[in-house]
Amino acid sequence: MKVVKTIQELKEFVQAAKKAGHRIGLVPTMGFLHEGHLALVQKAREENEAVIMSIFVNPLQFGPDEDFERYPRNLERDEQLAAGAGVDCLFTPDVEEMYPEPSIIAMTVTSRTDKLCGVKRPGHFDGVVTVVTKLFHLAEPDTAYFGLKDAQQFAIIDGLVKSLNFPVKLVGVDTVREEDGLAKSSRNVYLTEEERMKAPHLQQALKLGVQAAAQGEENVQAIVDLTISHLTAYAGAAIDYVELLSYPGLMPLKKAEGKMILAAAVKYSKARLIDNIIFTAGEEG
Amino acid sequence: MKVVKTIQELKEFVQAAKKAGHRIGLVPTMGFLHEGHLALVQKAREENEAVIMSIFVNPLQFGPDEDFERYPRNLERDEQLAAGAGVDCLFTPDVEEMYPEPSIIAMTVTSRTDKLCGVKRPGHFDGVVTVVTKLFHLAEPDTAYFGLKDAQQFAIIDGLVKSLNFPVKLVGVDTVREEDGLAKSSRNVYLTEEERMKAPHLQQALKLGVQAAAQGEENVQAIVDLTISHLTAYAGAAIDYVELLSYPGLMPLKKAEGKMILAAAVKYSKARLIDNIIFTAGEEG
């Protein structure tokens, strides 16, 4: 595996891959890798001759009160995991490499942001689409792989690609979970032991809501309330939101039908966790 | 020459060109072609095996009071000229093809717009960078060719490419002029006979200013005033602006030094004309 820190080196890898007729798969990450990331690599590995992973904790997508400085980092371990998973080129730029001078272009997400995590994280998705645009231009992937745990992010990147005609195919990969159902997340390390015990109820609560919809419940508020009740009773965390929306449009629903997302965010003492289930009414959740 | 109206057909051309190892040169235009456009094609022809020209009058870059509806169009003549100049693929999408549904991304130019044409055309360059982004993603050019008559546009597209790391090389091509010095422009057709006689004074006035700088004048206002005096006396048009700025940064100057642009816009009865000279103090204008 080639580890490169500069744009120039990355471009050389990309040029060589293209010249060889290789398909390029890109896995953009913020590092502190877990099995969720490695599942993305595995999928990319199956579909491409050249797999690029980026590790870049993007300051643009963190708010002033968010955890940019203390976001967990472990580049040495990440390099081992990436190499083991079959990454061909690991791109680990520093902030100056990605943002060397003030940008003259601001990218703003004008839809799909006033729901879910977007409400409490103003500007977050503007930072996401900006860095994804830059990474797409640098790595020139045929296909890019993102986890569906960040379902709103996936919906917005899907909209980015369609709105601006990026020549990139997007693949959303199912959330990888611990045995007890907790979604893998770099932020899980912040959980206390007791919180870690209760955290799987986040997924349990969503499953309850989806089951109700599968059994014919069409009342959106009833599904949301069922989820909230379970979280309140068992999750031991403050509820940030529980929402049932269309997917990927993220529009409010009059009744629970079509392709939907039931998503929730909860706050533990030092970690905010998110999870979701994307499903279609009438199909198994 | 292949003429395509759909994104699908354009992508097929691009894929085939890439597969053949051809370099792609893109010449984005709004049509109503003149020798200025054909000079771009000629340059693209010299440097690429595949030359794509787009003709698209982009509604996003016209203000509500501007000339989108009456912008001159003559696709039949354009096709002949493009074919004659050596274009391989002419992309002529309609508005629905380029903007099929509401975009979820807004692109805003945050610098280089509060000068020159940007002042009177709020949002104009936002529309330009949006359509250029889409065209770059669709045509995937190695190199894109733009005329330096639209010097502010070139500076902004240069900033777009650098800010977002587009894998595209930009080439600015010198303004093509009539024998009497008037810059070629699709909007020249709007000039009355008398206005057409006087319009070359736009370039004359700029030349005077640049000559003064070449002869050691460092006072920015003195250079601008010299240009304004000549325009007032001879051009027979209302002066929109005359500005001397750094280039491509388009920053105000304390004194006339370094790489600069002296640019002017004047208004005739039915046509607003622009022209500029990009030069470096101490070098021949």
Side-chain angles (χ1 to χ4, degrees), chain A residues 7 11 103-112 129-130 133-134 137-138 140 156 159-160 163-167, chain B residues 7 11 103-111 129-130 133-134 137-138 140 156 159-160 163-167:
Chain A
I7 284 172
K11 279 178 168 286
S103 172
I104 76 151
I105 305 291
M107 296 182 75
T108 314
V109 186
T110 57
S111 177
R112 305 186 182 179
V129 297
T130 302
T133 293
K134 290 168 76 79
H137 288 162
L138 291 170
E140 298 184 60
I156 285 168
L160 168 73
S163 294
L164 295 178
N165 305 100
F166 277 88
Chain B
I7 284 172
K11 279 179 169 285
S103 172
I104 76 151
I105 305 291
M107 297 181 75
T108 314
V109 186
T110 57
S111 176
V129 297
T130 303
T133 293
K134 290 168 74 80
H137 289 161
L138 292 169
E140 298 183 61
I156 285 168
L160 168 73
S163 294
L164 295 178
N165 305 98
F166 277 89

Side-chain angles (χ1 to χ4, degrees), chain B:
Chain B
M1 183 181 74
K2 206 171 173 125
V3 182
V4 302
K5 291 190 81 67
T6 67
I7 284 172
Q8 184 54 38
E9 291 166 293
L10 175 63
K11 279 179 169 285
E12 283 163 17
F13 177 87
V14 169
Q15 288 314 313
K18 293 221 174 268
K19 206 160 187 176
H22 290 170
R23 288 168 298 177
I24 296 176
L26 174 66
V27 180
T29 82
M30 299 211 300
F32 211 71
L33 303 178
H34 52 66
E35 287 165 49
H37 301 106
L38 304 183
L40 302 178
V41 174
Q42 193 186 327
K43 189 80 181 157
R45 188 72 279 167
E46 289 165 14
E47 300 180 346
N48 303 276
E49 290 74 37
V51 175
I52 300 174
M53 174 186 276
S54 60
I55 294 182
F56 179 60
V57 184
N58 173 33
L60 232 59
Q61 69 192 67
F62 287 80
D65 298 329
E66 290 181 5
D67 57 352
F68 173 67
E69 290 299 340
R70 69 178 188 95
Y71 191 86
R73 293 163 169 90
N74 189 339
L75 195 53
E76 204 173 317
R77 184 169 165 278
D78 286 348
E79 286 190 19
Q80 288 169 11
L81 288 171
V87 170
D88 297 305
C89 177
L90 183 67
F91 178 50
T92 62
D94 60 22
V95 173
E96 288 67 32
E97 186 72 6
M98 288 298 281
Y99 301 112
E101 49 194 57
S103 172
I104 76 151
I105 305 291
M107 297 181 75
T108 314
V109 186
T110 57
S111 176
R112 305 185 181 179
T113 59
D114 57 339
K115 308 284 184 331
L116 308 177
C117 294
V119 179
K120 295 276 176 75
R121 305 189 73 184
H124 167 67
F125 289 111
D126 299 342
V128 169
V129 297
T130 303
V131 79
V132 167
T133 293
K134 290 168 74 80
L135 290 170
F136 281 4
H137 289 161
L138 292 169
E140 298 183 61
D142 296 275
T143 312
Y145 299 82
F146 293 90
L148 286 173
K149 185 169 85 70
D150 296 311
Q152 185 172 20
Q153 171 177 282
F154 190 83
I156 285 168
I157 294 171
D158 179 66
L160 168 73
V161 166
K162 292 201 173 85
S163 294
L164 295 178
N165 305 98
F166 277 89
V168 176
K169 186 184 159 205
L170 288 188
V171 170
V173 177
D174 286 340
T175 304
V176 177
R177 299 178 181 282
E178 306 288 351
E179 277 192 16
D180 57 11
L182 176 65
K184 301 251 183 187
S185 164
S186 305
R187 289 182 171 105
N188 289 349
V189 296
Y190 297 142
L191 297 171
T192 67
E193 205 172 325
E194 195 193 335
E195 288 171 343
R196 175 63 191 80
M197 299 272 286
K198 292 182 174 171
H201 282 289
L202 179 52
Q203 200 218 6
Q204 289 302 322
L206 295 169
K207 273 191 171 170
L208 276 178
V210 171
Q211 271 165 19
Q215 286 159 14
E217 179 61 78
E218 290 191 329
N219 185 305
V220 171
Q221 195 56 50
I223 294 168
V224 167
D225 287 345
L226 198 65
T227 308
I228 290 177
S229 298
H230 187 91
L231 286 173
T232 308
Y234 302 107
I239 296 172
D240 197 344
Y241 63 75
V242 175
E243 289 188 69
L244 180 68
L245 301 166
S246 72
Y247 195 85
L250 304 184
M251 299 300 286
L253 294 164
K254 281 184 183 157
K255 61 180 190 172
E257 61 182 358
K259 192 172 180 186
M260 294 171 277
I261 181 169
L262 180 62
V266 298
K267 272 185 174 163
Y268 288 100
S269 55
K270 288 184 177 169
R272 182 176 171 284
L273 301 188
I274 61 174
D275 204 351
N276 70 78
I277 301 176
I278 296 165
F279 67 106
T280 301
E283 294 175 14
E284 199 57 41

Side-chain angles (χ1 to χ4, degrees), chain A residues 109-178:
Chain A
V109 186
T110 57
S111 177
R112 305 186 182 179
T113 58
D114 57 339
K115 310 284 185 331
L116 308 176
C117 294
V119 178
K120 295 275 175 75
R121 304 190 74 185
H124 167 67
F125 289 111
D126 300 343
V128 170
V129 297
T130 302
V131 79
V132 167
T133 293
K134 290 168 76 79
L135 290 170
F136 281 5
H137 288 162
L138 291 170
E140 298 184 60
D142 296 276
T143 312
Y145 300 81
F146 293 89
L148 287 173
K149 185 170 86 69
D150 296 312
Q152 184 172 20
Q153 172 177 281
F154 189 83
I156 285 168
I157 294 171
D158 179 67
L160 168 73
V161 165
K162 292 201 172 84
S163 294
L164 295 178
N165 305 100
F166 277 88
V168 176
K169 187 185 158 201
L170 288 187
V171 170
V173 177
D174 286 340
T175 304
V176 177
R177 298 177 182 281
E178 306 288 352

